[in-house]
Amino acid sequence: MSNSKLWQPNPLFIGKTNLYNYIQYINNKYKLQYNNYFDVHQWSVDNLELFWKSIADYFNIEFHQNYTSVLEQQNNDVFGASWFNGATLSYAEHIFRNYTDDVPAIIYQCENQKTITLSWSELKTQVIKVQAYLLENGIGVGDRVVGFLPYNIESIVAFLAVNSIGAIWSCCSPDFGTESVLNRFEQIAPKIFIAAQYYTYNDKVYDKIAEIEQIKSQLPSLVNTLIIGNAIVPNTTTWKSVIEKDVVTELKFTAVDFNHPIWILYSSGTTGKPKAITHSTGGNLLEHYKALALHQNVKKGDRFLWYSTTGWMMWNYALSSLLCGATLCIYDGSPAYPDLYNLWKFVANQKINHFGVGAAFHINSMKNNLDLSTYDFSALITIGSTGSPLPNEGFRWIYDAVKNDIVLVSISGGTDVCSAFVGGCPMLPVYEGEIQCKMLGAAIEAWNEDGKSVVDELGELMITQPMPSMPLYFWNDNNNEKYLSSYYENGKQVWQHGDWIKITKHNGIIIFGRSDATLNRDGVRIGTAEIYSAVESIDAIKDCLVICNEQADGSYFMPLFVVMNNDAALSEEIKLEIKQTLKNKYSPRHIPDAIFQVSDVPYTISGKKMEIAIKKIFNGTEKSKAASLDTMRNPLSLNDFVDWYNNQNT
């Protein structure tokens, strides 16, 4: 039984989209006759070089030095592909090349504080001054500059200044613990450390000066530290002094190789030190133009908000809305303070056109029965969702409670590519529970256990052709050992992403969770997302987490952990309702072996449930080794699981 269709674009809407215009462009340029998105997608993966060249041409990428070849690869392997060889360019130059002050560059609000609007001229002036500071400190091409910053105007200014001179950016959110920050920054030997003394969350101001001094003292590679705040720290410079300094110069742009690093992002660090994932300048430039302009239909003058922190790749992704000439809208702080209405209120008041957030926020809004009928969402064109699968009822809630004439852009990709493999398409209908399409240039397949591509059944998400936004390498990864083991341990030269998916008959995609968290029931594999969708539809249940552990005798034990609404007690009646719901919606195999109550479910900062950490705890791993506590949203949540495991083994 197929999922219900929730939205269908009309021909007038389609004809005004960037994607429709792009299709007319390639039809004219290459003498094609496409009018169907799926035909264009197939063309894009069958003709990789021609497709990515068309993206560079369509978006008028300004190469300082032209490329000699679009793609070079050995034996058609995904690993080791090299893109636009010989080309040089500047990402920051593309941000500023078409700006005008008829629309703001940035609209920023920190919780209940006054909204700040920054013009393009003001943004450029601040970038010039920070660029001058960096040059005065000898920073140049390839040097690393790191941030310990909330998602604010200063973080955007700092990155653009760093990128403009060809240096490499990396950032951690200030809610990361000191050890987690050092585990990341020590790997890349930064020369400049830019840190905010304060950040605000849930109406509480956190002073991070002690942590800043500790981090600074343990990074011997630093030549200077730039502090945003009023603290007086020896051998540092204040942001205020940099911004207030008279600088008589123009903004300079240093062109770097297409495959020169733009930023270093990090894996979650659940096993050993976080992997320092190094991304290419040109690859991310092309990918973000494609993803934001074509797939999300972001246009010049639009207002774009994707709620994030600087420690999540959605910060980098949202930043690229500036490439499209959009206004970058930033909400800094808790999305649920003073209540869940506050972020929706910001979207309505600022007339935001594109609003994205983690799926957990949509689910919480739904489960709290928010009444949004008095809010003006007339400007809203797309609503985005990512971080974890959005269940069917979450899709329906958005169309029922927010707006019924909207493109729900559910995307899935990750830090690995700083973008999405599967996502939105303004030319296609939206079906409940389904991501609309494979994105252009992304050769996605679902493989079964025999390594065969399948449709309408569960399989491992495989990428069978290279993409320019795949990592260049992991920093300090000798012979690419960690890189290869992360994506290519399948015996074939295709990228194994680690997601469990189904490609539907009408080419939509359903994500069933991480394949390493897949549930095994009598030899049948089940995605965790199915469990969560069913259990969390029960009014009494606030949240849940499920794992499946292999026992010594080869059998499997599948416990379900639930968080009750209003701290109610888990009763036998609720347990029975859970079992009946799972059986009726799916199958008897979905029924857990045991159901236990916990006070909270552990999440990463980016909003992913931490099934693997719980599996490790249940295999006897110490809590501190099972998860990177400093990068969790709620590290105390692990305590109930540790207690339960200890009680079962005493």
Side-chain angles (χ1 to χ4, degrees):
M1 183 176 178
S2 61
N3 291 340
S4 299
K5 186 187 296 184
L6 299 174
W7 177 81
Q8 174 77 47
N10 61 51
L12 181 62
F13 179 86
I14 291 173
K16 293 181 178 179
T17 64
N18 293 329
L19 181 57
Y20 179 84
N21 189 64
Y22 166 76
I23 293 173
Q24 304 316 303
Y25 169 81
I26 60 170
N27 280 341
N28 292 331
K29 184 166 185 175
Y30 302 119
K31 295 181 171 50
L32 306 173
Q33 294 182 334
Y34 293 129
N35 54 26
N36 177 285
Y37 173 79
F38 298 113
D39 291 338
V40 177
H41 176 268
Q42 192 62 51
W43 172 81
S44 76
V45 296
D46 288 344
N47 302 273
L48 276 187
E49 293 188 50
L50 198 59
F51 166 69
W52 287 107
K53 180 182 184 302
S54 78
I55 293 294
D57 292 343
Y58 179 76
F59 289 105
N60 193 27
I61 299 302
E62 296 183 14
F63 294 109
H64 288 235
Q65 182 174 310
N66 210 350
Y67 49 90
T68 55
S69 62
V70 173
L71 172 63
E72 293 182 7
Q73 57 184 140
Q74 293 183 345
N75 303 319
N76 292 318
D77 290 347
V78 174
F79 174 73
S82 179
W83 294 91
F84 289 86
N85 298 286
T88 61
L89 42 61
S90 166
Y91 174 97
E93 184 176 22
H94 288 80
I95 294 284
F96 284 103
R97 63 178 174 172
N98 293 318
Y99 86 85
T100 58
D101 275 337
D102 55 342
V103 296
I106 297 174
I107 295 174
Y108 168 78
Q109 184 175 330
C110 180
E111 292 194 350
N112 284 335
Q113 298 176 24
K114 183 180 178 181
T115 302
I116 297 173
T117 300
L118 196 73
S119 71
W120 279 94
S121 295
E122 291 168 327
L123 175 62
K124 184 177 182 180
T125 297
Q126 291 194 30
V127 172
I128 287 171
K129 293 185 176 186
V130 178
Q131 182 189 78
Y133 159 82
L134 294 170
L135 294 172
E136 287 168 4
N137 281 275
I139 305 304
V141 174
D143 290 333
R144 277 76 65 206
V145 177
V146 294
F148 186 48
L149 300 167
Y151 190 0
N152 56 14
I153 292 172
E154 289 86 353
S155 66
I156 304 299
V157 170
F159 164 74
L160 291 173
V162 168
N163 181 263
S164 67
I165 59 176
I168 304 168
W169 175 255
S170 193
C171 195
C172 286
S173 175
D175 51 3
F176 279 29
T178 302
E179 183 178 350
S180 289
V181 175
L182 287 169
N183 281 342
R184 287 157 171 77
F185 291 167
E186 284 175 335
Q187 297 185 58
I188 64 173
K191 287 190 174 181
I192 297 290
F193 178 37
I194 304 176
Q197 180 182 353
Y198 304 107
Y199 80 95
T200 302
Y201 198 86
N202 269 337
D203 201 34
K204 184 176 180 181
V205 178
Y206 296 85
D207 190 326
K208 304 295 288 185
I209 200 65
E211 289 87 346
I212 291 169
E213 291 191 87
Q214 185 178 355
I215 294 166
K216 173 178 173 290
S217 69
Q218 296 187 51
L219 294 175
S221 56
L222 292 179
V223 298
N224 202 271
T225 296
L226 183 58
I227 293 183
I228 303 163
N230 52 25
I232 305 300
V233 180
N235 303 314
T236 64
T237 303
T238 66
W239 182 272
K240 182 179 180 182
S241 68
V242 170
I243 295 300
E244 291 182 348
K245 186 175 181 179
D246 289 332
V247 177
V248 184
T249 184
E250 286 296 311
L251 184 56
K252 305 178 183 71
F253 298 107
T254 301
V256 296
D257 189 88
F258 186 95
N259 297 296
H260 178 78
I262 182 173
W263 44 52
I264 298 171
L265 308 179
Y266 301 94
S267 65
S268 59
T270 54
T271 55
K273 282 193 174 183
K275 295 181 278 287
I277 303 172
T278 308
H279 287 277
S280 79
T281 300
N284 276 243
L285 180 68
L286 293 187
E287 173 62 32
H288 288 181
Y289 264 124
K290 179 205 76 177
L292 287 158
L294 300 186
H295 285 276
Q296 198 154 348
N297 200 34
V298 179
K299 299 180 179 181
K300 182 176 175 62
D302 283 356
R303 295 187 172 194
F304 185 96
L305 163 68
W306 202 296
Y307 176 81
S308 181
T309 72
T310 57
W312 187 19
M313 52 78 43
M314 294 309 298
W315 179 91
N316 310 71
Y317 186 86
L319 167 76
S320 289
S321 64
L322 295 171
L323 291 170
C324 306
T327 297
L328 175 60
C329 298
I330 300 171
Y331 188 86
D332 179 21
S334 169
Y337 175 81
D339 52 44
L340 286 167
Y341 284 101
N342 209 42
L343 192 53
W344 292 108
K345 188 185 301 181
F346 181 69
V347 171
N349 290 347
Q350 297 304 324
K351 302 186 185 311
I352 287 168
N353 306 108
H354 308 276
F355 168 47
V357 70
F361 178 80
H362 292 311
I363 294 169
N364 286 339
S365 295
M366 174 187 68
K367 292 185 75 68
N368 282 274
N369 297 312
L370 295 195
D371 180 3
L372 302 174
S373 59
T374 60
Y375 291 77
D376 180 6
F377 294 130
S378 58
L380 208 51
I381 302 168
T382 68
I383 286 185
S385 178
T386 193
S388 57
L390 185 65
N392 289 23
E393 55 269 28
F395 274 70
R396 292 194 298 270
W397 179 83
I398 286 172
Y399 281 93
D400 290 341
V402 184
K403 193 176 183 182
N404 61 13
D405 185 18
I406 202 163
V407 191
L408 175 46
V409 179
S410 181
I411 65 174
S412 184
T415 303
D416 321 82
V417 290
C418 198
S419 186
F421 302 113
V422 292
C425 177
M427 297 176 63
L428 295 175
V430 174
Y431 293 87
E432 64 179 28
E434 295 188 20
I435 296 172
Q436 286 175 284
C437 66
K438 307 171 188 177
M439 291 175 69
L440 294 173
I444 302 299
E445 294 181 5
W447 284 17
N448 64 16
E449 289 178 313
D450 297 325
K452 295 181 180 178
S453 180
V454 294
V455 174
D456 210 32
E457 63 179 85
L458 293 179
E460 288 262 10
L461 192 161
M462 299 290 189
I463 299 93
T464 62
Q465 297 272 23
M467 296 171 62
S469 63
M470 287 174 170
L472 293 168
Y473 43 76
F474 294 169
W475 199 269
N476 291 333
D477 179 18
N478 293 330
N479 299 316
N480 290 310
E481 292 176 4
K482 292 180 180 178
Y483 190 177
L484 288 167
S485 67
S486 295
Y487 310 116
Y488 298 102
E489 283 200 323
N490 49 49
K492 300 179 176 65
Q493 278 297 334
V494 297
W495 174 298
Q496 182 173 0
H497 191 58
D499 277 342
W500 201 232
I501 70 167
K502 179 165 73 174
I503 299 170
T504 68
K505 291 179 179 178
H506 44 72
N507 290 310
I509 296 94
I510 302 174
I511 306 290
F512 288 87
R514 297 291 295 172
S515 56
D516 50 8
T518 299
L519 312 173
N520 189 320
R521 303 294 280 166
D522 302 323
V524 177
R525 292 184 289 183
I526 298 170
T528 55
E530 290 181 331
I531 304 287
Y532 299 148
S533 175
V535 175
E536 291 169 18
S537 69
I538 298 171
D539 290 339
I541 305 298
K542 182 179 180 181
D543 204 354
C544 65
L545 181 141
V546 66
I547 63 169
C548 197
N549 255 19
E550 187 172 3
Q551 306 298 290
D553 62 0
S555 64
Y556 288 88
F557 176 63
M558 189 174 90
L560 172 70
F561 301 90
V562 298
V563 181
M564 301 295 293
N565 268 321
N566 303 316
D567 297 321
L570 174 62
S571 65
E572 291 302 318
E573 289 77 14
I574 295 297
K575 289 183 180 180
L576 181 59
E577 184 179 359
I578 290 170
K579 293 175 181 179
Q580 289 177 336
T581 301
L582 286 167
K583 182 179 180 180
N584 293 338
K585 283 196 171 185
Y586 294 107
S587 76
R589 288 192 180 94
H590 290 73
I591 298 173
D593 296 309
I595 304 174
F596 303 98
Q597 183 172 0
V598 291
S599 57
D600 203 2
V601 165
Y603 281 91
T604 65
I605 285 176
S606 60
K608 292 181 172 64
K609 294 185 183 185
M610 299 178 64
E611 296 102 336
I612 304 306
I614 301 306
K615 287 185 72 171
K616 289 180 179 179
I617 287 172
F618 278 38
N619 287 324
T621 304
E622 292 181 14
K623 179 175 68 174
S624 60
K625 295 181 180 179
S628 179
L629 304 182
D630 287 339
T631 58
M632 288 181 61
R633 178 190 295 175
N634 51 349
L636 293 178
S637 62
L638 295 177
N639 293 341
D640 284 356
F641 295 88
V642 172
D643 291 343
W644 188 90
Y645 172 77
N646 290 336
N647 290 335
Q648 295 297 308
N649 289 276
T650 55

